[in-house]
Amino acid sequence: MITLQRRQLVGHDILLARHGNHICSMRVDRGNGRVVALLDDGTVDSAPNLISPGLRLPDTFRSVIREDWKFFAALSAIGTGVGGLIMAVAWNFSSTVMSPETIQLMSTYASY
């Protein structure tokens, strides 16, 4: 079940426990799964962002979109295509059912 909650960064806690107030800034290196900290003496330290590499973290909204963007793009394209097809069929059907005077009246007045 997708919970869509924010992931807790374990690396932040590890670095805070190691260095405390000596940390100037921290950043997340998502490619390597680590948190990198710049210390006040100019050195750099890093910590892993996962407790266990096989641990399955809860999905977030961004992770779902990042993994399934092709599916959502295809779904949007299909919806647009079906909507366009329905409008074309409705336009064609309306021209066969209504008289040309009624169609002209509906297209000239803004209230319709």
Side-chain angles (χ1 to χ4, degrees):
M1 180 175 176
I2 298 174
T3 57
L4 298 179
Q5 62 185 358
R6 183 167 195 260
R7 292 182 177 159
Q8 297 298 321
L9 302 176
V10 177
H12 284 181
D13 294 337
I14 294 171
L15 290 172
L16 283 171
R18 282 185 198 164
H19 303 289
N21 292 334
H22 298 289
I23 297 173
C24 292
S25 66
M26 281 194 266
R27 68 176 176 84
V28 179
D29 184 7
R30 296 193 191 282
N32 295 325
R34 301 184 73 76
V35 175
V36 180
L38 176 66
L39 304 177
D40 57 2
D41 61 355
T43 59
V44 176
D45 190 14
S46 65
N49 207 16
L50 294 175
I51 297 171
S52 170
L55 181 65
R56 174 81 173 129
L57 292 175
D59 291 331
T60 62
F61 182 73
R62 285 184 181 173
S63 68
V64 170
I65 296 297
R66 187 173 39 243
E67 292 172 2
D68 297 333
W69 71 271
K70 290 180 183 178
F71 171 73
F72 291 128
L75 195 64
S76 298
I78 290 170
T80 303
V82 169
L85 181 65
I86 289 172
M87 291 205 42
V89 167
W91 181 266
N92 191 15
F93 182 71
S94 69
S95 65
T96 60
V97 173
M98 290 190 244
S99 65
E101 294 83 18
T102 308
I103 293 173
Q104 184 180 5
L105 181 68
M106 290 175 65
S107 64
T108 56
Y109 287 116
S111 63
Y112 289 107

